[in-house]
Amino acid sequence: MSERRSAVLFVLLAAVWGTSFMAIKAGLEAFPPVLFAAIRYDLAAVLMVGYAAVTCDYWLPRTRADWLTLVVEGTLIIALYNAFLFVGETGVTSGVAAILVGMSPILSTVFSRLFLPDQRLTVVGTLGLLLGFVGVAMVARPDSSTPLASEALWPTLVLLAAASVALGSVLVQRLDGDISPEGMVAWSNVLGAVLLHAISFGLPSEALADAQFSLAGVAALVYLAVFASAIGYVVYFDLLARLGAIEINLVSYAAPIFAAVSGWLVLDETLELLDVAGFVVIFTGFVLLKRHALATELSPVLDRVEGLLPGR
């Protein structure tokens, strides 16, 4: 029953986070991008602070490590990640955005090697890293009919979003604050919302007057704040305790499937064959980079599946 519950929650999280790319794309029709992200985290912060206060004893930052972790998460994982992603999605489809964000586990390996230079990449690991960037080139390929700089801008911004969350994840691991994960997410949402509003205020192209609180726009906003943020993180922490960090990283590679399907159903988007091939190449690079950790964490699961096969 526990394994079945974990499998159901894994699919649920992949679905919620995958369809969030579609919701972002839909909401961009009604809101300026960074302001859209800021209002999303206004709502999510209220929900998460309330949840953390009710469920956790250690939900307020106390130590220097807690505060530094809060600054890193709020700045890199919430504010910069979402600013780059929401602006980038104005020029790419939901599926392409989800595929490019799937580079974050690979980029986290790059950043961990920069901060821990004694940990060298093996030949196979280097091949995995190179495959990740080859996959990005396949997905973010320029269109010969448009200027290169203009065409490359949007996927580059999404890739910067992936780099922001990857760098933030590595720095958070090094800081190792003691505050509960729920409390940290809650307060990083608060700080992230404040920073996103500051970024939006500083952009001449964004103003609250440009926001259109249409039914579709509000629906996208509520979906992102309630389901993708609040409920999504609750499910994430449940799975993190059950599966571990490596297995939960696989959500990044299940999410693009839901992003592409929901984008096709709701927004009439399509993925080209080269986009799908690029996704496969990026995932292959991830497997090569994390092959030892994947083998260690997934072997018990594979043994149990093998035991269920006929004749075993």
Side-chain angles (χ1 to χ4, degrees), residues 32-45 82-83 86 189-190 192-200 206 221:
V34 182
L35 179 62
F36 183 23
I39 299 174
R40 167 195 179 173
Y41 280 97
D42 290 337
L43 300 177
N82 284 277
F86 277 59
N189 280 359
V190 173
V194 171
L195 293 175
L196 284 165
H197 277 292
I199 295 171
S200 177
E206 296 208 0
L221 186 60

Side-chain angles (χ1 to χ4, degrees), residues 200-243:
S200 177
F201 182 77
L203 294 174
S205 59
E206 296 208 0
L208 184 59
D210 296 329
Q212 302 172 13
F213 289 88
S214 61
L215 179 60
V218 171
L221 186 60
V222 170
Y223 183 81
L224 289 169
V226 176
F227 291 92
S229 295
I231 295 176
Y233 276 115
V234 171
V235 173
Y236 172 83
F237 289 125
D238 188 318
L239 284 174
L240 184 61
R242 293 168 178 271
L243 303 179

Side-chain angles (χ1 to χ4, degrees), residues 6 14 19 31 60 68-69 87-88 95 100-101 108 164-165 181 253 260 263 285:
S6 295
T19 52
F31 299 99
L60 291 170
L68 288 174
T69 303
V87 176
L100 292 174
V101 168
S108 67
S164 296
V165 76
Y253 300 101

